[in-house]
Amino acid sequence: MITRRLATLARSGLQALDEATVRAVVRQAVRDIRTAPPPPPADPPADPTVAALRRVVDDLAASTHAIGELMLEVAPAYLSDIEAADVLALLCDQIGEPLEHGLAARRYAMSGDRRALHGTVL
């Protein structure tokens, strides 16, 4: 995906791909992969209520990922949860989110794994 995007940029007439441009392309590719919707279940539920609940969970996960990206802007991934908690406590308080949910959203944004939200958001 990254190679294809860089080749498209090169074909567009961009003379030199500087480090910042390559970094932006890689960052966007990672974001696109992490936020891609999960594949549909092999057998979609026949019950419309179950299908509706799955959509709600998918929407909640997507919004939580966006919150997690905000948390990463304030407390970058190189910080441990303990170090991030010190930085994120005020932000979480201001947005009305429990600190544990903010940390879980941050872990989800880093990993893309919904299990990071188990017991907190989901």
Side-chain angles (χ1 to χ4, degrees):
M1 174 189 301
I2 293 170
T3 303
R4 204 171 42 249
R5 290 179 182 190
L6 290 174
T8 301
L9 279 175
R11 282 192 302 267
S12 72
L14 194 61
Q15 294 299 323
L17 294 175
D18 63 354
E19 187 176 325
T21 303
V22 173
R23 186 178 301 120
V25 169
V26 170
R27 187 177 298 123
Q28 185 60 48
V30 168
R31 180 174 289 129
D32 291 349
I33 294 296
R34 286 184 175 165
T35 59
D43 297 323
D47 185 349
T49 304
V50 173
L53 285 172
R54 282 191 178 165
R55 283 191 300 276
V56 168
V57 169
D58 289 342
D59 289 345
L60 180 59
S63 63
T64 301
H65 192 277
I67 290 171
E69 287 183 331
L70 172 66
M71 299 293 164
L72 282 170
E73 287 180 23
V74 176
Y78 63 83
L79 295 177
S80 70
D81 270 2
I82 294 170
E83 294 168 319
D86 293 338
V87 177
L88 294 177
L90 180 61
L91 173 61
C92 287
D93 185 53
Q94 288 178 343
I95 65 173
E97 190 72 25
L99 178 59
E100 189 57 38
H101 289 192
L103 290 170
R106 179 177 172 268
R107 287 189 298 270
Y108 177 49
M110 284 189 285
S111 68
D113 189 339
R114 286 189 184 181
R115 292 176 293 183
L117 304 175
H118 181 71
T120 56
V121 180
L122 293 178

